[in-house]
Every structure is written in structure tokens, then in C-alpha cells.
Amino acid sequence: MRPYGFEIKKFYYCTAHDGQQHPWRKPNPGMILAAAEEFDFDPAGCFLIGDWWKDMSAARGAGCRPLLVMSGVCKGEEYKSWPDQPEAVFPSLIEAAEYAIQNTP
């Protein structure tokens, strides 16, 4: 069922601890690149919705369009000092998803 026009096919996660070097540990883009290979898509045509600077960096590293939601880790305007800036900022996941749907060619 696709009530918002998209479907979650799989969840990816990294079990490496903070400080450990692993290609899947954000801000590395490994999880995104693995999904792109598994599902045969070009990350450049995709959005990554996240709530922290590491999400934005992973998205940029993979060539995705990063969207920031303010309903998680990030609070206030701290994101303005991050090295990788979001394309847009939203109060919730639903609004970010709606933006992604409306801005997908």
C-alpha cells in the first residue's frame, strides 16, 4: 500500500560502534550505495531524509538530495553550521516526504 506515494522496501543499519571506521557508518555513504546497487537505482535521483549532520553528509557523499527533519536529533538552527547543508528543512517526516514526491521528476 502506498498512501503517500512511496514504499519502504528495506531498512539498512550499521552495527559498528561510534568511532569505528566502517563504510556503512555515517557520515560514510556505504548504506546508500549498497541500497543503490541492490535495487539498481542512481542515488543522484533520490532524496535522503535525516535529522542529523551525519545524514546530510552521507547523502551528499552518495550524491543524494538531503532533506532535514527537525523532529529528531537536530534542534534550532544548529544545522546552519554543518559542512553539508540540507536542500530543505521540514518540521516532520510527512512534510519532507511530500516535498520529495512533489520534487521528483
Side-chain angles (χ1 to χ4, degrees):
M1 190 159 147
R2 299 175 137 196
Y4 291 101
F6 65 94
E7 159 183 20
I8 297 172
K9 294 193 176 255
K10 186 174 183 176
F11 288 93
Y12 290 82
Y13 59 92
C14 181
T15 58
H17 296 285
D18 199 16
Q20 288 182 297
Q21 288 299 318
H22 190 281
W24 280 31
R25 181 89 181 155
K26 292 183 285 183
N28 296 320
M31 286 187 279
I32 301 163
L33 300 175
E37 184 176 327
E38 182 175 351
F39 292 103
D40 192 30
F41 67 85
D42 180 2
C46 299
F47 291 93
L48 183 141
I49 302 172
D51 66 352
W52 199 27
W53 73 268
K54 289 185 177 185
D55 299 323
M56 302 302 107
S57 292
R60 292 284 184 204
C64 294
R65 297 168 66 182
L67 303 178
L68 176 65
V69 292
M70 301 299 287
S71 57
V73 176
C74 181
K75 303 294 182 206
E77 295 187 350
E78 69 181 276
Y79 70 90
K80 292 182 178 181
S81 67
W82 294 348
D84 293 299
Q85 289 295 299
E87 176 177 320
V89 180
F90 302 91
S92 73
L93 177 59
I94 293 297
E95 289 153 316
E98 288 172 346
Y99 174 90
I101 292 165
Q102 293 168 1
N103 289 278
T104 299

